[in-house]
């Protein structure tokens, strides 16, 4: 009797994701109380490792040739049994949303405010299921309007974007629009030479599975770091303020927002914001507890409104 033989071929697609983006820490001078950013370079790389426990999924509509495998219809598995009959099955498509790790019911849940969004995201999902670094990617310098930010930053009367940079793509090239920008704010009571700044970094936008793997990996690392520095981090309850997940170290806030078929990870850092209240400590607390949650809610509203 001839021996049975099974051949299985499956298509896969490499996904690209941003794995390093400028991260800023506020360093206050004991004499002046001024804040200075400390930045790290931004870069996009491919095939970032999956987070512990994550199950990679193949992107729809792509053929597997990058690793030398044969190409077939995406998601299809064929087999030939001992009798020569052939059967086929279709692999389930990737999920339309990513489920971030649960942070527990005791995680803080700020109350959402009545905020209005003027400029929603209009990003088109990448056809291969990876990132979407094309012209539909929003420009970091225009991510927020002055009217939007004025709802969450007291005394705001002007916004100016500078130091804008695109994200670098693997193998050369860059994103079509800026991935990182510094927004210099004009605030009541602040001198121009010591103006507060909001540094916006679009870390990744694309298929939920691709963005989610990066988010899970970074979240795990930051939660481990938070154990070494108790009281520094705040991990918000999933789903609050309309965001799928969000957390902050008091200066840099990381936000994951989604709609079916599309996810985005955006970071923002507050530099300055020392005159929101009568004292430095009260002002920085206001940034953490009032300004940051408001910006999180704006980002969630921008993704939810896009069609």
């Amino acid at each position: 009797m001839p021996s049975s033989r099974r051949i299985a071929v499956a298509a896969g697609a490499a996904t690209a994701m941003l794995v390093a983006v400028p991260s800023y820490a506020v360093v206050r001078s004991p004499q002046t109380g001024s804040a200075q950013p400390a930045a790290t370079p931004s870069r996009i790389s491919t095939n970032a490792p999956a987070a512990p426990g994550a199950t990679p999924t193949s992107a729809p509509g792509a053929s597997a040739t990058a690793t030398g495998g044969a190409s077939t219809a995406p998601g299809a598995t064929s087999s030939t049994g001992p009798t020569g009959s052939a059967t086929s099955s279709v692999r389930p498509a990737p999920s339309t949303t990513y489920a971030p790790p649960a942070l527990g019911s005791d995680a803080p849940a700020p109350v959402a405010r009545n905020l209005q969004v003027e400029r929603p995201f209009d990003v088109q999902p990448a056809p291969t299921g990876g990132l979407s670094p094309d012209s539909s990617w929003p420009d970091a310098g225009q991510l927020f309007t002055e009217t939007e930010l004025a709802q969450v930053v007291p005394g705001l009367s002007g916004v100016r974007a500078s130091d804008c940079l695109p994200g670098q793509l693997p193998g050369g090239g860059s994103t079509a629009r800026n991935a990182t920008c510094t927004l210099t704010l004009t605030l009541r009571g602040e001198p121009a030479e010591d103006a507060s700044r909001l540094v916006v970094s679009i870390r990744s936008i694309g298929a939920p599975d691709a963005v989610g793997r990066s988010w899970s990996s970074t979240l795990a690392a930051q939660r481990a770091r938070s154990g070494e520095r108790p009281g520094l981090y705040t991990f918000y309850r999933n789903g609050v303020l309309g965001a799928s997940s969000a957390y902050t170290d008091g200066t840099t806030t990381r936000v994951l927002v989604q709609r079916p078929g599309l996810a985005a990870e955006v970071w923002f850092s507050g530099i300055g914001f020392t005159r929101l209240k009568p004292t430095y400590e009260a002002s920085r607390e206001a940034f953490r507890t009032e300004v940051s949650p408001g910006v999180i809610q704006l980002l969630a509203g921008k993704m939810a409104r896009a069609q």
Side-chain angles (χ1 to χ4, degrees), residues 188-270:
R188 182 177 57 248
E190 277 193 352
E193 64 272 16
D194 195 25
S196 293
R197 289 159 286 162
L198 196 65
V199 183
V200 178
S201 299
I202 304 174
R203 184 177 174 92
S204 59
I205 298 179
D209 288 340
V211 176
R213 284 194 296 271
S214 175
W215 179 265
S216 291
S217 178
T218 305
L219 176 61
Q222 294 298 313
R223 294 195 74 178
R225 185 170 183 265
S226 71
E228 303 170 358
R229 307 184 70 179
L232 180 66
Y233 283 80
T234 300
F235 296 89
Y236 299 110
R237 191 180 309 171
N238 289 347
V240 301
L241 303 173
S244 294
S245 187
Y247 60 96
T248 181
D249 62 10
T251 298
T252 299
T253 301
R254 300 158 174 86
V255 188
L256 176 71
V257 292
Q258 298 188 77
R259 70 173 190 257
L262 193 67
E265 180 178 348
V266 181
W267 295 10
F268 62 89
S269 303

Side-chain angles (χ1 to χ4, degrees), residues 141 160-165 180-184 197:
R160 178 176 58 85
S162 62
D163 300 325
C164 297
L165 293 171
T180 302
C181 274
T182 297
L183 306 182
T184 301
R197 289 159 286 162

Side-chain angles (χ1 to χ4, degrees), residues 15-26:
T15 56
M17 62 192 66
L18 293 160
V19 297
V21 74
S23 177
Y24 298 81
V26 168

Side-chain angles (χ1 to χ4, degrees), residues 274-284 286:
T274 60
R275 292 176 171 83
L276 298 177
K277 300 290 183 180
T279 66
Y280 174 90
E281 289 76 13
S283 295
R284 290 303 301 176

Side-chain angles (χ1 to χ4, degrees), residues 2 4 18 26 37 40 65 77-78 82 98 160 234 245:
S4 62
L18 293 160
V26 168
T40 56
T65 55
T77 301
S78 62
Y98 155 77
R160 178 176 58 85
T234 300
S245 187

